[in-house]
Amino acid sequence: MANPSDLRTVFLGVYSVLKSDLLNDPAFEWTDASRQWVERMLDYNVPGGKLNRGLSVVDSYKLLKEGEDLTEDEVFLASALGWCIEWLQAYFLVLDDIMDSSHTRRGQPCWFRVPKVGLIAVNDGIMLRNHIPRILKKHFRQKPYYVDLLDLFNEVEFQTASGQMIDLITTIEGEKDLSKYSLPLHRRIVQYKTAYYSFYLPVACALLMAGENLENHVHVKDVLIDMGIYFQVQDDYLDCFGDPEKIGKIGTDIEDFKCSWLVVKALEHCNEEQKKILFEHYGKADPADVAKIKALYNDINLQGVFAEYESKSYNRLTRSIDAHPSKTVQAVLKSFLDKIYKRQK
């Protein structure tokens, strides 16, 4: 089958088709100004990332079809579903960046930081979210799994927004209390905020396209959620120890008082003296405070703690995957795990 760079080119070609559909949506009377705004907003926010989530719908569908050559139509539809996930992601990120007062995203200024955009970005986020059912209606209306797709996107969006809520209310100004941070809380935030839409959703889309009933694949969901949690722990680690050049953003989890896996683990490994430092300096914007936290992370060897977590997780996930009765589904899950194991960005 085509090599990855060809796949990416074909995938980006589908983006152009979907964008053109949306900019000519008959439900709205377009003007030049509104078309230009939406096009610029889409080009800035939707295709700029690694596209992992979107491309993995196509990859997963291919694996489910057991190496049969896909028709052009199948590639298009799988790509369209992949783009719906990228649209969902763009919608979350545009609004998340406003909530977090972030500065950069994917190596460029956050959309709301762009001159003349500002809080119009809130409505742009709403627009991005509304584009998903427009895409699904245009291309999937006649499919037997149409309602299941709508249900899936609605449910995953609800789970993600709810995860974002737990994250936000845990970090309310004036209620900063490190002692409430624990592994179960971290797990809940991550499971809902990241794992469902980043890991389960792409495979669920591929399964629906392949004619599968999602109720028969609860084990697949469980493994993917577990993988999503491992992925976010890597993200937490890279936020502090990763190379900003590689990850495309400057980590601010320490300043933002985030319930990061690192701080949860630090709380477990600290002595009383170190705990005092943690409580005093975590969640402060001053670089001197951040430096103290990073020094503490080094003192208790969090990099070693992470390395151990990484290998244990990999082994556990591999065992879960090997326990699945279908070799085809195993291949889908393994391809996900291989993409993220020991990643640097």
Side-chain angles (χ1 to χ4, degrees), residues 167-187:
D167 194 13
L168 292 166
I169 64 176
T170 311
T171 52
I172 292 174
E173 280 299 325
E175 291 180 27
K176 291 186 169 175
D177 177 13
L178 264 187
S179 56
K180 66 189 171 189
Y181 283 177
S182 65
L183 226 44
L185 175 68
H186 179 267
R187 191 189 164 90

Side-chain angles (χ1 to χ4, degrees), residues 38-54:
V38 174
E39 177 161 33
R40 181 171 83 120
M41 185 271 291
L42 289 175
D43 287 344
Y44 195 93
N45 294 295
V46 179
K50 300 185 285 283
L51 306 182
N52 287 345
R53 293 167 183 82

Side-chain angles (χ1 to χ4, degrees), residues 63-331:
L63 290 165
L64 290 172
K65 298 298 277 189
E66 298 189 351
E68 275 178 53
D69 270 350
L70 304 189
T71 65
E72 259 181 58
D73 191 48
E74 284 178 306
V75 173
F76 179 86
L77 291 175
S79 299
L81 290 180
W83 279 114
C84 285
I85 301 175
E86 294 294 336
W87 247 269
L88 187 69
Q89 154 107 326
Y91 147 58
F92 292 141
L93 299 186
V94 164
L95 296 181
D96 270 15
D97 285 342
I98 300 171
M99 290 180 246
D100 296 343
S101 299
S102 300
H103 289 272
T104 56
R105 161 81 59 192
R106 297 167 172 172
Q108 61 181 10
C110 301
W111 177 238
F112 81 100
R113 299 272 183 199
V114 171
K116 296 193 183 149
V117 177
L119 289 182
I120 298 175
V122 174
N123 192 65
D124 290 333
I126 296 169
M127 289 285 288
L128 287 163
R129 188 260 172 265
N130 278 283
H131 283 159
I132 298 163
R134 307 304 293 165
I135 294 168
L136 294 176
K137 183 181 166 87
K138 182 163 172 81
H139 297 285
F140 296 90
R141 185 111 179 59
Q142 302 307 321
K143 299 284 183 231
Y145 52 86
Y146 178 57
V147 173
D148 297 300
L149 272 180
L150 291 174
D151 274 350
L152 174 66
F153 273 89
N154 285 335
E155 183 162 296
V156 168
E157 185 194 348
F158 168 67
Q159 289 168 316
T160 308
S162 302
Q164 171 72 347
M165 174 191 61
I166 315 173
D167 194 13
L168 292 166
I169 64 176
T170 311
T171 52
I172 292 174
E173 280 299 325
E175 291 180 27
K176 291 186 169 175
D177 177 13
L178 264 187
S179 56
K180 66 189 171 189
Y181 283 177
S182 65
L183 226 44
L185 175 68
H186 179 267
R187 191 189 164 90
R188 279 187 71 214
I189 293 172
V190 169
Q191 175 176 346
Y192 290 102
K193 187 182 166 174
T194 304
Y196 279 104
Y197 94 91
S198 300
F199 285 81
Y200 174 59
L201 183 56
V203 175
C205 283
L207 286 166
L208 288 176
M209 255 192 83
E212 293 287 328
N213 182 339
L214 295 180
E215 285 170 15
N216 300 336
H217 293 283
V218 179
H219 174 261
V220 173
K221 183 194 264 192
D222 293 341
V223 175
L224 287 162
I225 295 309
D226 208 9
M227 224 181 278
I229 291 163
Y230 161 62
F231 174 87
Q232 185 58 46
V233 172
Q234 289 176 313
D235 229 47
D236 290 355
Y237 177 81
L238 292 170
D239 188 273
C240 179
F241 296 108
D243 176 357
E245 286 296 313
K246 278 192 189 147
I247 57 177
K249 60 186 173 190
I250 295 153
T252 56
D253 284 357
I254 295 171
E255 296 92 314
D256 295 341
F257 198 72
K258 279 290 155 73
C259 181
S260 159
W261 184 85
L262 295 174
V263 79
V264 171
K265 282 288 157 190
L267 286 163
E268 281 179 21
H269 286 79
C270 275
N271 60 34
E272 288 310 308
E273 208 50 49
Q274 292 168 319
K275 226 172 230 179
K276 278 200 187 108
I277 297 173
L278 208 51
F279 273 77
E280 195 178 327
H281 300 283
Y282 197 74
K284 303 239 164 83
D286 187 330
D289 290 297
V290 176
K292 283 208 168 73
I293 298 294
K294 288 196 176 184
L296 174 69
Y297 284 178
N298 282 319
D299 291 343
I300 58 176
N301 187 25
L302 272 190
Q303 284 173 282
V305 176
F306 171 76
E308 186 189 353
Y309 167 85
E310 179 150 64
S311 67
K312 277 190 175 156
S313 298
Y314 183 80
N315 293 333
R316 186 186 67 252
L317 286 163
T318 303
R319 283 195 303 275
S320 296
I321 294 169
D322 289 339
H324 197 281
S326 156
K327 283 277 181 261
T328 315
V329 173
Q330 277 188 29

